[in-house]
Amino acid sequence: MSDSIQTKRRRTDPQTILCDMCAEDRKPAKKTCMKCEISMCVQHLQAHLTTPVLLQTHPLTEPMDLCGNTKCSQHGKLLEYYCLDDMTCVCVSCAIEDQHRLHNMKTFSTAHKELLEKLKAEQLILQEKTDDENVSLEKWEKSEREKLGRCSVRLIEAVTNLRDISLTSVQSSVSARMVSLKTSKSSMEAAQKEKDTFRFLQMYSQVHQDVEKAKAVDLSKGLEPGSHRDKLVEEMRQNGEKMVKQASQFWGSLLTLVDPEHHQELVPTDSHLIFEPQSLGPGMSLSKDNRKVFHNSWLGQCCATLLICSTKTASSYQRWVVSLPEESDWMIGLCDKKCAKNLKDGAVYGLCWEDKQLSSLTTKRCKTVSHVSDRSFIMDEWEETPLIKTGKEYMVSSSLITYQGENGVEPVPRPEKVEVLWNFPASTLSFFSRTGQHQREEIITMKLNESVNIQDMAPFIQLGKQNTDSTTQQQQWKCSCGKVYYWDGNRYRDHSSSYSYQSTCSCGKVIGVTEMVCKLC
């Protein structure tokens, strides 16, 4: 661009772009040619609009002060395209040869149109947020203060109640002991004032008893042993548990406020969650509140499938925490309610601990279904080999979960307690290993298939292997220490034992005892 043109522009209003081709009485520019690097009024623009070569190769924009920024700094060529991936203007060499060649490229006009539409859509979304009457700093602060206030009030009430019970009960006992001290003091003072020898000796026996009783008084001791103290201790334990629960909820609310992504509703689950058995082996049983699962190894293998049901309606998410057995395989997650008794017939998402390895289970929809005789022939796009199954539209795939350890890639260890978070709006299922009351480590988050109807899904847990024939007495029992015992028709025994009535393992564990293997936390 010539120095005379630059000088002319500096003499005019910087907000008005004038025609660079007008010699005198410069008129406002109508368009700017990116290639010629000049701005033109209506009259001087005609050549660019009527000459085919100029019309095709010279991009025109609204009037603008170019300031020498229309050329690529790397190639020196005209900037003609916009890279949507890197959000920058590029030349033709950048678009076809260099780092942008595999990116999403658009012409200026197309990029302008698409990005303008995107901004309008985002503006509507933000407008909905700002128009929401609940979106204000004052209302947010009021809401959070009320939420935390309720937790703190309950905690203060629990602490105050526990304090008052303790002080009131011990105070009455201390008061009685202090009476003994006062009585002994009065007796000693009376004896010291007595001048008559005979009367002094007569009263000394009682004074001695009062003094000995006072000497035995210990004001630092609690209540005297007895039923009253036992009853009070039990009451204090119950109130103490409430206090700990309130403190835990208050702590969880603070963590959720500060770091909601990793501590979403990280408080103890409510008792409205229960197990609903779909299949139970002969050695399996449930507690009265349907929150614990027991296994008697005398009667059969650990084998059960249970849905996890709630008596409350969940709004945007559902969460459950389960402690899992150490010695049995298990599976936890979501399954099709209609196929709970046979998980292989429906969609499944979850974690699976089998053969001392942790895997993730996801469901994929099969692409092609064509009927062959009475069975459905299913070709799954993820497998090279066709699958022949009876009327199935989904395929459940398993993937080993690993992490980068000191010795390279290592399998994830078995979690003792698993927390599952089902996010309805996001259609995600997250699994965490609970390492403490308010500590957890994420294992995996999986996306639910869009073709799966969420209304048909339900939380479940499977212990052992499904459809295992466990109707007969086990022929062998393996202890956690590794030793194997065999059933001789009456009791389990070790091959090395000379008698067949062994009831305990050499490690001390009782053979075939009923144990709790799973519970809702």
Side-chain angles (χ1 to χ4, degrees), residues 178-360:
M178 293 184 71
V179 169
S180 298
L181 293 176
K182 292 179 181 179
T183 301
S184 65
K185 182 179 179 181
S186 300
S187 298
M188 287 188 294
E189 289 177 351
Q192 290 172 358
K193 291 179 181 180
E194 182 58 56
K195 301 300 182 181
D196 186 82
T197 302
F198 180 72
R199 282 198 295 268
F200 173 82
L201 294 176
Q202 279 187 322
M203 64 186 302
Y204 181 77
S205 176
Q206 183 60 46
V207 173
H208 176 72
Q209 292 180 16
D210 293 340
V211 171
E212 291 299 319
K213 188 175 181 181
K215 287 166 63 177
V217 170
D218 185 356
L219 296 179
S220 64
K221 288 185 177 180
L223 292 179
E224 297 295 332
S227 60
H228 177 63
R229 188 179 72 173
D230 295 342
K231 181 179 180 182
L232 181 60
V233 168
E234 181 60 29
E235 185 179 357
M236 290 176 62
R237 282 176 177 169
Q238 294 176 359
N239 283 275
E241 291 175 357
K242 292 180 181 178
M243 182 185 69
V244 172
K245 182 179 180 181
Q246 298 299 341
S248 177
Q249 290 179 350
F250 183 61
W251 183 19
S253 298
L254 293 175
L255 289 172
T256 303
L257 175 66
V258 175
D259 187 10
E261 181 179 356
H262 296 96
H263 300 92
Q264 184 178 22
E265 298 298 332
L266 195 53
V267 295
T269 52
D270 295 328
S271 58
H272 63 84
L273 294 175
I274 59 173
F275 287 124
E276 183 180 295
Q278 302 299 300
S279 62
L280 287 176
M284 311 299 295
S285 61
L286 269 68
S287 60
K288 291 183 179 179
D289 60 0
N290 287 345
R291 290 176 57 83
K292 297 177 183 178
V293 182
F294 298 94
H295 172 228
N296 188 325
S297 55
W298 284 96
L299 302 177
Q301 300 177 10
C302 181
C303 177
T305 303
L306 311 104
L307 295 181
I308 301 174
C309 302
S310 173
T311 56
K312 295 183 180 180
T313 302
S315 55
S316 59
Y317 71 92
Q318 187 172 355
R319 187 177 67 91
W320 57 100
V321 182
V322 182
S323 66
L324 297 160
E326 297 182 10
E327 301 172 14
S328 301
D329 294 339
W330 48 261
M331 189 188 305
I332 184 172
L334 293 177
C335 72
D336 191 327
K337 288 181 284 189
K338 299 187 297 293
C339 304
K341 294 184 177 181
N342 192 353
L343 296 176
K344 296 180 180 179
D345 290 342
V348 175
Y349 294 88
L351 286 184
C352 177
W353 177 258
E354 186 175 12
D355 298 330
K356 300 187 182 303
Q357 290 185 326
L358 190 65
S359 303
S360 63

Side-chain angles (χ1 to χ4, degrees), residues 18 32 46 49 53 68 104 115 132 175 192 209 228 266 289 309 323 350 362 416 419 460 469 497 508:
L18 301 179
T32 295
Q46 294 304 312
L49 297 178
V53 175
N104 189 4
L115 294 178
D132 187 351
S175 177
Q192 290 172 358
Q209 292 180 16
H228 177 63
L266 195 53
D289 60 0
C309 302
S323 66
T362 55
E416 295 181 4
E419 176 183 354
F460 84 100
D469 184 13
S497 301

